[in-house]
């Protein structure tokens, strides 16, 4: 595919626009992560450049995001005894992402239930808001969301009017800035300049970022001990999973806008390499940035080159911005992050919480609550378990509805031409399994259909329209045949496909069924049933 001058111009303008929009968020996320403002910029540089070079999504911009900032903050507070250890976990998470891509697990991450994603992202949004409420009023942030809420109540009387004024003005700007004007000057950038001007020339006692070490990033990674690596595997795995889901969801959004297909496994490799580099140079972990990606695409960025331009512009900012960053009030960044937190929350599902399906609501609320009140690891784990159980419950009803159990009257099935036959005798029964059968319905199959088997001398199991069976449902089928054997009811098997037959043979399901009782057509089953009854 040719790369034209027009493509290059679009990528350059898109990358520039995305960098301007992402700059305030990168600074804010770096501070929120506990690693500092410079870590946010180094993360934007490292992840942004290498995810673009090795990634698989056209137009995607990568760097610090809200979920990754919260995850890194948890790592800094709970799993790492130093900044160096936290950065090592970032590198380990990147290595796991590369491994995910190499074993081609990317397409499976997209199967994460929407209810889990909705609850988790909403929980992340609430955490960002709760943590940033303290710097919003001029108080230094402490711990996690619950500690922040408790401290907020205790320190509300100590709020700095200057910080509160700057934060309120900044929040109003990012909330009310016209969408049309955002195409030329993004609201967060306006809030950054206005808030900084207020802090420099009027409300000068508001807490600021302070000195930020700038210049070319240096290699800071140290060789970890085996004991630390083993202890850090859990947070690194969660960081990798969160970054992978965050990036691939952004890739799906980019795909829907551009119409181009993304390559999920290649994207995971790119994101992983980016996080390895980011952690090695002192940057926070990152992922696909939805805001930056959409900004880039709308400004004309259409290829992976736009991500490279974005990273190079971030490098220029890193090399020359240090002097100009230190006066920025923390309250400005808090306001920008609170707006981001508000945008992350899934308000659509929250507004319809009482009308959405009960299973979806339960998974969403449970995941959101555990994310906020316990931790991210437990939230994802419990959310997936509850989602799996809710999905299994729905499948159970659907699968059982696809089982047909009917008596076959002798007068219609065996002797349709015999007018003297009893019209109400049904010595043969039919159990037809249509569609897909899994563990979800397996435990109900025996209890539901065993009584039907006991009423007949012969039972025909019809698999002609069976699409798929897992091992659990196959073994339950064996139990149903066992019920027939205990009642001395003959079993006839009809319409086994090659895949179902192979499964049955592997599990020895048909060990008690004679070979001549396995037929291909219902007409063959009719003849066989007549022969068995005539003996």
């Amino acid at each position: 595919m040719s790369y034209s001058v027009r493509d290059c111009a679009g990528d350059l303008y898109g990358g520039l626009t995305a960098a301007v929009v992402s700059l305030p968020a990168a600074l804010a996320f770096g501070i929120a992560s506990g690693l500092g403002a410079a870590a946010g910029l180094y993360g934007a540089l490292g992840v942004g450049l290498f995810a673009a070079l090795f990634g698989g999504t056209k137009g995607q911009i990568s760097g610090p995001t809200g979920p990754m900032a919260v995850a890194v903050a948890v790592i800094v507070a709970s799993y790492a005894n130093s900044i160096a250890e936290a950065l090592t976990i970032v590198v380990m998470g990147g290595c796991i992402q590369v491994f995910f891509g190499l074993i081609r697990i990317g397409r499976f991450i997209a199967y994460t239930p929407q209810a889990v994603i909705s609850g988790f992202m909403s929980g992340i949004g609430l955490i960002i808001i709760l943590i940033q409420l303290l710097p919003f009023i001029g108080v230094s942030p402490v711990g996690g969301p619950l500690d922040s809420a408790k401290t907020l109540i205790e320190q509300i009387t100590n709020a700095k009017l200057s910080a509160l004024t700057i934060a309120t003005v900044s929040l109003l700007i990012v909330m009310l800035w016209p969408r049309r004007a955002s195409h030329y000057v993004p609201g967060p950038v306006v809030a950054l300049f206005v808030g900084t001007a207020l802090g420099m020339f009027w409300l000068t006692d508001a807490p600021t970022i302070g000195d930020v070490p700038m210049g070319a990033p240096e290699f800071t990674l140290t060789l970890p001990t085996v004991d630390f690596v083993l202890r850090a595997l859990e947070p690194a795995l969660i960081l990798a999973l969160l970054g992978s889901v965050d990036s691939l969801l952004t890739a799906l959004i980019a795909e829907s806008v551009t119409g181009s297909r993304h390559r999920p496994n290649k994207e995971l490799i790119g994101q992983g390499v980016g996080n390895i580099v980011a952690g090695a140079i002192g940057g926070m972990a990152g992922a696909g940035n939805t805001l930056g990606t959409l900004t880039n695409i709308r400004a004309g960025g259409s290829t992976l080159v736009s991500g490279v331009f974005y990273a190079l512009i971030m490098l220029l900012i890193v090399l020359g911005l240090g002097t100009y960053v230190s006066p920025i009030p923390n309250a400005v960044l808090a306001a920008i992050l609170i707006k981001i937190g508000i945008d992350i929350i899934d308000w659509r599902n929250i507004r319809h919480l009482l009308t959405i399906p009960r299973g979806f609501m339960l998974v969403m609320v449970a995941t959101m609550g555990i994310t906020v009140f316990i931790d991210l690891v437990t939230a994802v784990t419990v959310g997936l378990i509850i989602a799996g159980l809710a999905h299994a419950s729905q499948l159970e009803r659907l699968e059982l509805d696809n089982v047909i159990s009917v008596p076959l009257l002798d007068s219609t099935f065996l002797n349709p031409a015999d007018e003297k036959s009893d019209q109400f005798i049904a010595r043969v029964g039919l159990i037809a399994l249509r569609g897909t059968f899994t563990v979800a319905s397996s435990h109900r199959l025996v209890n539901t259909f065993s009584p039907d088997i006991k009423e007949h001398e012969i039972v025909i199991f019809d698999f002609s329209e069976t699409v798929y069976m897992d091992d659990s449902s196959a073994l339950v089928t064996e139990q149903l045949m066992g019920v027939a054997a205990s009642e001395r009811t003959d079993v006839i098997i009809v319409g086994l496909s090659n895949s179902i037959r192979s499964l049955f043979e592997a599990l020895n399901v048909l060990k008690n069924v004679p070979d001549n009782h396995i037929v291909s057509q219902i007409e063959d089953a009719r003849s066989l049933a007549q022969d068995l009854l005539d003996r």
Side-chain angles (χ1 to χ4, degrees), residues 340-404:
I340 292 174
I342 292 172
D343 291 339
I344 288 176
I345 295 175
D346 190 350
W347 294 107
R348 183 183 64 176
N349 283 323
I350 290 178
R351 283 195 299 267
H352 298 94
L353 203 57
L354 299 179
T355 58
I356 59 179
R358 187 171 59 181
F360 189 103
M361 180 193 70
L362 177 63
V363 174
M364 177 185 169
V365 172
T367 305
M368 181 168 59
I370 296 172
T371 299
V372 176
F373 296 108
I374 302 180
D375 60 61
L376 309 181
V377 178
T378 307
V380 173
T381 304
V382 173
L384 289 174
I385 291 173
I386 298 176
L389 293 175
H391 183 60
S393 177
Q394 294 174 347
L395 284 180
E396 178 187 67
R397 293 191 297 271
L398 294 173
E399 291 176 10
L400 289 175
D401 287 343
N402 287 333
V403 180
I404 296 176

Side-chain angles (χ1 to χ4, degrees), residues 66-67 70 114-130 133 175 337-353 364 368 371-372:
V70 171
Q114 181 60 36
V116 176
I117 295 172
S118 175
F120 186 77
M121 297 302 286
S122 295
I124 292 291
L126 286 174
I127 289 175
I128 292 174
I129 293 170
L130 289 173
L133 286 176
M175 294 283 286
L337 280 180
I338 286 175
K339 175 58 167 61
I340 292 174
I342 292 172
D343 291 339
I344 288 176
I345 295 175
D346 190 350
W347 294 107
R348 183 183 64 176
N349 283 323
I350 290 178
R351 283 195 299 267
H352 298 94
L353 203 57
M364 177 185 169
M368 181 168 59
T371 299
V372 176

Side-chain angles (χ1 to χ4, degrees), residues 16-42:
L16 174 62
T17 307
V20 172
V21 171
S22 301
L23 174 61
L27 293 169
F29 285 138
I31 294 174
S33 72
L35 297 179
L41 292 177
Y42 291 154

Side-chain angles (χ1 to χ4, degrees), residues 23 76 85 115 163 376 396 491 519:
L23 174 61
V76 171
E85 288 188 352
L376 309 181
E396 178 187 67
V491 171
V519 298

